[in-house]
Amino acid sequence: MSGAEERQEEQATVSGTPERRRYRSTLRDERAAETRTRIIDAARTLFRERGFAGTTVTVIAKHAGVAAPTVYAVFCNKAEIIKELVSRLEAEADGEQWRARIGAEPDPRRKLDLYAAWHRLLFSSGRDVLGAAVDAGGDPGVRDLREEGDRSNQVWLGPVVDALVEAGLLAPGLTRQDAVDRAMLLSSVELYFRATVGRGWTDDQYQQWLTESLRQQLLAQPRATTPDRR
């Protein structure tokens, strides 16, 4: 404990038991948060370097500077760590700002383009975490991540597709749910990795493909003009 912390505790002791308890509680919470962050940071680095299957709790604990039982006490298992990492990705990619930007865009077609741009950023900035999550797909503890991801994606897509419906821009015969389903399939993380890892595409190429594919699959296409042969 530092000298400043000792003085604070002495002052809390003198001023009465309730204040002392509050001080100790605050200090305990700060240390718990610091430990949690160290575990998360160590796990993210290791998942990126070794993959989910190649990373053990013991190794995570060593890199975080804590005992293995501490990791289990905070997260229970590796599956809970990967869930925590995935849950942070949207905030790390400035999700709220992108949501506001898409909502403020007056052109429904541009909303669709911005959705593609947002997904490219989400996937590229969280590539290490998402790669570990895909790697952990067979773990029973992370199977519900797919359902959580689908629910989140539907929340993002709902206003975009609604704007297309209201503007009469959906392809003929395409229902709102059809449009959402098509967009979700095209913007899946598996296709992102298939493109960037499997085919060696850059993130720019992926975004261009996703933008074009969403427009082709969801929007009414202009009719081809027939040349006048008179």
Side-chain angles (χ1 to χ4, degrees):
M1 183 181 293
S2 68
E5 290 175 343
E6 290 178 353
R7 287 193 296 275
Q8 289 176 356
E9 185 163 6
E10 289 174 0
Q11 292 172 359
T13 302
V14 171
S15 60
T17 300
E19 186 173 345
R20 182 183 183 186
R21 287 176 179 170
R22 283 195 298 272
Y23 165 75
R24 286 182 172 176
S25 177
T26 299
L27 187 59
R28 184 166 54 249
D29 290 345
E30 290 175 352
R31 288 175 175 170
E34 180 186 352
T35 298
R36 189 180 188 89
T37 298
R38 283 160 56 192
I39 294 171
I40 282 289
D41 290 345
R44 183 165 187 170
T45 298
L46 290 165
F47 287 153
R48 180 173 59 250
E49 295 174 350
R50 307 184 182 192
F52 182 84
T55 301
T56 66
V57 169
T58 300
V59 174
I60 292 173
K62 180 179 178 180
H63 281 252
V66 299
T70 300
V71 178
Y72 285 113
V74 175
F75 286 104
C76 296
N77 51 47
K78 287 194 301 179
E80 293 302 315
I81 297 176
I82 201 69
K83 287 180 181 179
E84 174 82 9
L85 285 166
V86 170
S87 72
R88 297 181 178 199
L89 292 182
E90 188 170 311
E92 290 177 3
D94 297 323
E96 287 305 313
Q97 292 183 22
W98 275 92
R99 196 186 301 274
R101 183 180 175 187
I102 293 172
E105 172 57 51
D107 184 345
R109 286 163 294 202
R110 277 288 298 155
K111 287 180 184 289
L112 197 60
D113 296 347
L114 289 173
Y115 167 81
W118 149 248
H119 252 71
R120 172 261 178 91
L121 176 61
L122 178 68
F123 289 164
S124 62
S125 64
R127 185 184 184 119
D128 55 344
V129 173
L130 294 170
V134 171
D135 185 30
D139 190 306
V142 298
R143 286 176 184 166
D144 57 348
L145 275 177
R146 162 56 62 193
E147 295 181 1
E148 292 176 12
D150 286 346
R151 285 193 293 270
S152 176
N153 204 1
Q154 288 189 61
V155 170
W156 277 87
L157 276 169
V160 175
V161 173
D162 286 342
L164 295 173
V165 172
E166 292 171 7
L169 293 173
L170 280 188
L174 199 66
T175 67
R176 178 190 185 279
Q177 190 57 52
D178 289 338
V180 170
D181 290 344
R182 289 187 181 189
M184 287 181 63
L185 288 171
L186 288 169
S187 59
S188 69
V189 68
E190 289 83 3
L191 281 184
Y192 170 76
F193 281 113
R194 184 72 180 271
T196 57
V197 177
R199 305 309 305 165
W201 287 8
T202 66
D203 287 323
D204 286 341
Q205 288 175 306
Y206 167 76
Q207 182 180 334
Q208 181 180 354
W209 170 83
L210 181 58
T211 301
E212 293 172 353
S213 298
L214 287 170
R215 282 182 168 249
Q216 290 169 359
Q217 288 293 315
L218 271 63
L219 301 182
Q221 302 301 315
R223 294 182 179 179
T225 57
T226 304
D228 189 350
R229 297 182 178 179
R230 289 180 298 175

